[in-house]
Amino acid sequence: MKEKSAPGLNFIESIIENDLKNGKNDGNVVTRFPPEPNGYIHIGHAKSICLNFGIAGKHGGVCNLRFDDTNPGKEDVEYVDSIKQDVKWLGFDWGERLYFASDYYETLYEYALKLIKKGKAFVCELTPEQIREYRGTLTEPGKESPFRERPVEESVELFKKMKSGDFDEGSHVLRAKIDMKSGNLNMRDPVIYRILKAHHHRTGDKWVIYPMYDFAHGQSDSIEGVTHSLCTLEFEDHRPLYDWFIKELEIFAPRQIEFARLNLNYTVMSKRKLLQLVEAGLVSGWDDPRMPTVSGLRRRGFTPESIRDFADRIGVAKRDSTVDIALLEHCVREDLNKRAKRVMGVLDPLKVVIENYPEDKEEELEAINNPEDPDSGTRMVPFSREIFIEKDDFMEDPPKKFFRLSPGKEIRLKHAYYIKCVDVIKDENTGEILELRCTYDPKTRGGWSEDGRKVKGTSHWVSAKHAVPIGVMIYDRLFTEENPGSSDKELPDLVNPDSLNVLNGSLGEPSLKNAKPGEYFQFLRQGYFCVDEKLSSSDKQVFNRTVSLRDSWAKLGKKRG
RNA sequence: UGGGGCGUGGCCAAGCGGAAAGGCAUCGGUUUUUGGAGCCGACAUUCGGAGGUUCGAAUCCUCCCGCCCCAGCCA
């Protein structure tokens, strides 16, 4: 059915507003985020989290956090812990409503019994292979199991024996009795309980039979009173099954609404592939800053605000789509521009000696912390005769439109003085530029000139004797192909060999010594950085580059070829 | 040859019978002690295609084309 919507609402909100208007659920809105604890969550999950918690919040409802833990073999507390941490970090609060499908095992078992007694489920002794054969194909109907019409009492007995551990794994399953000829394969007498003699991370060894996801998810929603069950497109043809269970069980009926999952270019979103990256050592772990996992993004320096903003901007719809990673980058830049403290760090240092600056003179220059934030104040930065500037900020033989330093040219040192390059010292053999000799104009202290003389370029710098060595990690997209998920190549061959560039010779202004994890920085003219807690040590801070600044000079270079 | 979905600019996405919002990207200009940020402007005569209904269609109807999902005792 088509629902009218107010502008600015996505189609799901429109449906909910309509339900509210029609007085459904007594005006309540209950949603839930239902991860399986079998891996770390990624930005695609973040979309779902923002959607579910966002909608509940917007309509005066609540959102539960429920773990759909129905497959003990693949699940682990490590994952439930990381997921809880990530949801919290994203800024959402499930209050007291932390649930697990395993909380409902007893109820689900009773539900199954009810179905059997109604003649709507039966214990089947076909082998897994036989069940597959009997299922039919996409174009041919399936065949009914020979056990389908066995007496209700027999199924009840058998199911109880399954539960008490009398049978081996794979020997018996409980199946719903629906329609082997349905065009929807989910309705062809689906398995709803199987024997799994596995240790469960929460129920231990109490159970040897476990409900299938399809027999747990919808009922869990129902038990929790979830009014709107939001899930991804691939569950669209499971909906008739869920509705069937709800109807036969005569329990509260949530409304399921499906939306398209998030795809991002130059990365992968499938848990299987992310796991493969981790296990093959292609990345350092789930929280490698190149990973699209929430933990990876956090370590990379993304803010929760920027991720929520991103989720807002990509919208919610049913069409398969791939969002440009540039949008995510735009969201962090916008957020960090307002809040990141500006500091100076020289990634690839080139020594500069200011010949007319007194040998032992030192001075402290005032530097503004963030021009975008008037409340951020200033700090003092030491200056002396020998400094380092960025190697890229000098060219001996510059092309047109190069506004930086070159022989005879004058630039401004941010917060400091104008300097002019008077000599270039090179290695006699290699020709490599070792050092620049410059002069400064004492009348330009602070970076202003009284005579109104203009300089085109401004460079960042650090004082040689005051600078602190820092480690810098420069990241680039993890994959070389825009859509690695649909490539024929193997994952290892798709990984961008330049996705990680470790810089060891970088120097930072002294204040960086006290940089703390969780602080956001902008290294002037370069990008946004944060302290990597894992890589930093007491004697050397290591910074991750979250994202570069937009760079119109680099863009010109690309145009030039 | 079954069932379920989806097709609006390079990428997302509004639109719900009165005549193409917005964001990102891109390209100009302006401003600037970050070639950053900001500001201003440009960017679909057209909505997968073809017919039809209508005074009027991206919106309704018909047919066609394309893409995605489903044959786990995974979720």
Side-chain angles (χ1 to χ4, degrees):
Chain A
M1 76 185 80
K2 212 154 194 180
E3 323 247 355
K4 289 252 180 189
S5 73
L9 296 185
N10 63 51
F11 81 102
I12 295 177
E13 292 179 299
S14 304
I15 291 171
I16 290 176
E17 296 228 325
N18 243 280
D19 286 349
L20 250 21
K21 207 175 299 164
N22 296 333
K24 276 194 193 166
N25 308 307
D26 301 322
N28 288 323
V29 174
V30 180
T31 58
R32 98 273 91 118
F33 172 59
E36 183 192 14
N38 69 342
Y40 284 66
I41 55 171
H42 52 63
I43 189 156
H45 296 104
K47 171 184 178 179
S48 172
I49 292 166
C50 292
L51 215 213
N52 278 292
F53 279 92
I55 278 184
K58 190 167 172 181
H59 296 93
V62 292
C63 180
N64 304 341
L65 174 60
R66 183 185 69 243
F67 289 91
D68 275 334
D69 51 350
T70 52
N71 189 3
K74 288 186 176 169
E75 297 153 7
D76 196 277
V77 279
E78 176 198 351
Y79 299 125
V80 345
D81 291 342
S82 77
I83 291 169
K84 284 161 67 179
Q85 183 193 359
D86 289 347
V87 174
K88 227 178 269 176
W89 179 77
L90 282 168
F92 299 104
D93 182 12
W94 55 86
E96 300 301 303
R97 299 172 311 283
L98 171 64
Y99 302 127
F100 293 81
S102 51
D103 292 342
Y104 312 135
Y105 281 175
E106 204 65 58
T107 308
L108 261 9
Y109 175 75
E110 294 301 326
Y111 284 168
L113 239 26
K114 177 169 183 177
L115 245 33
I116 299 172
K117 288 173 181 164
K118 283 181 77 175
K120 300 288 185 178
F122 65 99
V123 170
C124 182
E125 292 170 51
L126 253 25
T127 65
E129 297 70 38
Q130 289 173 315
I131 288 184
R132 193 184 329 119
E133 288 161 19
Y134 276 62
R135 186 155 31 224
T137 68
L138 294 179
T139 51
E140 300 161 85
K143 279 191 306 197
E144 293 184 348
S145 163
F147 302 98
R148 196 176 202 261
E149 298 307 332
R150 87 155 110 217
V152 165
E153 272 320 306
E154 194 177 312
S155 276
V156 170
E157 283 318 301
L158 256 13
F159 186 51
K160 285 181 176 169
K161 282 187 171 168
M162 282 170 65
K163 185 193 181 220
S164 52
D166 292 7
F167 304 127
D168 292 332
E169 279 186 21
S171 65
H172 296 66
V173 291
L174 183 69
R175 293 228 251 163
K177 196 189 286 186
I178 310 180
D179 177 11
M180 290 306 290
K181 294 188 290 293
S182 172
N184 182 347
L185 304 211
N186 295 123
M187 303 299 271
R188 318 243 263 229
D189 292 5
V191 171
I192 58 179
Y193 258 95
R194 77 291 212 190
I195 299 169
L196 249 29
K197 299 195 170 167
H199 186 83
H200 187 279
H201 66 103
R202 296 191 79 243
T203 59
D205 299 314
K206 183 176 177 201
W207 295 86
V208 293
I209 55 170
Y210 291 90
M212 296 289 291
Y213 170 86
D214 277 349
F215 195 69
H217 184 82
Q219 288 94 309
S220 299
D221 281 345
S222 176
I223 291 167
E224 292 174 16
V226 169
T227 57
H228 299 273
S229 175
L230 316 182
C231 65
T232 42
L233 257 25
E234 67 270 28
F235 292 105
E236 207 147 14
D237 34 270
H238 291 239
R239 179 157 32 99
L241 214 212
Y242 303 161
D243 289 346
W244 187 89
F245 288 140
I246 295 291
K247 183 170 142 275
E248 295 299 338
L249 260 13
E250 300 162 78
I251 55 179
F252 172 75
R255 174 154 26 172
Q256 173 171 303
I257 306 165
E258 308 84 8
F259 63 92
R261 64 188 329 148
L262 169 67
N263 294 296
L264 261 187
N265 59 9
Y266 296 105
T267 190
V268 292
M269 222 61 100
S270 99
K271 269 191 195 173
R272 205 196 99 247
K273 283 178 175 155
L274 293 174
L275 181 63
Q276 198 186 333
L277 287 168
V278 173
E279 287 183 337
L282 267 12
V283 295
S284 63
W286 286 101
D287 66 347
D288 186 296
R290 293 166 293 180
M291 293 280 272
T293 50
V294 171
S295 53
L297 293 165
R298 175 170 56 231
R299 190 170 164 195
R300 175 82 169 254
F302 280 79
T303 61
E305 290 83 356
S306 67
I307 293 172
R308 280 189 250 128
D309 181 37
F310 174 73
D312 266 356
R313 295 197 197 210
I314 57 177
V316 181
K318 295 195 74 161
R319 132 182 26 159
D320 289 313
S321 62
T322 302
V323 175
D324 194 335
I325 189 92
L327 179 60
L328 215 210
E329 294 178 343
H330 172 265
C331 292
V332 236
R333 284 197 187 102
E334 190 174 86
D335 188 28
L336 258 16
N337 176 50
K338 287 177 301 193
R339 62 205 287 190
K341 179 178 178 182
R342 270 59 170 175
V343 293
M344 293 194 285
V346 177
L347 269 34
D348 192 8
L350 171 61
K351 189 175 176 183
V352 172
V353 177
I354 303 165
E355 294 183 329
N356 60 338
Y357 194 91
E359 293 268 357
D360 4 288
K361 184 175 176 183
E362 280 178 28
E363 58 187 314
E364 297 260 308
L365 300 164
E366 188 175 41
I368 188 161
N369 285 329
N370 185 352
E372 304 290 326
D373 176 8
D375 299 328
S376 64
T378 61
R379 69 188 184 285
M380 302 309 285
V381 184
F383 185 79
S384 62
R385 187 172 196 259
E386 293 189 2
I387 62 169
F388 288 97
I389 64 166
E390 207 67 60
K391 220 168 240 169
D392 284 349
D393 281 348
F394 176 81
M395 270 187 129
E396 192 173 17
D397 187 20
K400 280 201 171 55
K401 290 191 177 173
F402 183 82
F403 305 148
R404 283 111 99 143
L405 198 60
S406 53
K409 291 278 269 297
E410 188 173 53
I411 59 159
R412 167 173 39 239
L413 293 177
K414 181 80 178 175
H415 309 308
Y417 295 98
Y418 287 7
I419 58 167
K420 186 183 284 186
C421 177
V422 294
D423 200 8
V424 182
I425 314 289
K426 289 192 259 191
D427 183 296
E428 286 178 12
N429 303 314
T430 64
E432 186 199 351
I433 297 170
L434 299 175
E435 173 182 320
L436 263 28
R437 309 294 290 196
C438 294
T439 57
Y440 86 117
D441 178 352
K443 293 201 289 289
T444 57
R445 192 174 199 271
W448 298 98
S449 162
E450 288 171 10
D451 59 13
R453 161 171 42 120
K454 296 264 192 215
V455 288
K456 272 277 201 178
T458 300
S459 277
H460 56 278
W461 51 273
V462 291
S463 165
K465 85 171 75 154
H466 305 278
V468 296
I470 55 173
V472 172
M473 313 289 277
I474 301 294
Y475 301 102
D476 196 358
R477 45 181 63 134
L478 224 204
F479 294 94
T480 48
E481 288 188 17
E482 182 162 355
N483 203 338
S486 61
S487 174
D488 297 329
K489 292 188 200 158
E490 292 298 313
L491 216 51
D493 299 324
L494 288 164
V495 171
N496 177 5
D498 301 317
S499 62
L500 170 59
N501 188 200
V502 181
L503 271 35
N504 285 311
S506 305
L507 297 167
E509 64 169 74
S511 74
L512 248 23
K513 221 176 327 188
N514 306 315
K516 289 184 293 292
E519 272 188 281
Y520 300 106
F521 297 97
Q522 183 196 101
F523 283 15
L524 235 41
R525 302 207 301 133
Q526 300 188 116
Y528 296 99
F529 291 79
C530 67
V531 175
D532 189 299
E533 215 167 335
K534 282 191 175 172
L535 266 22
S536 292
S537 63
S538 53
D539 48 281
K540 191 173 183 181
Q541 299 272 49
V542 176
F543 293 86
N544 289 323
R545 186 177 73 184
T546 309
V547 65
S548 69
L549 251 30
R550 294 187 76 217
D551 187 346
S552 55
W553 169 243
K555 207 177 273 179
L556 270 180
K558 272 183 194 162
K559 258 197 214 167
R560 224 184 287 119

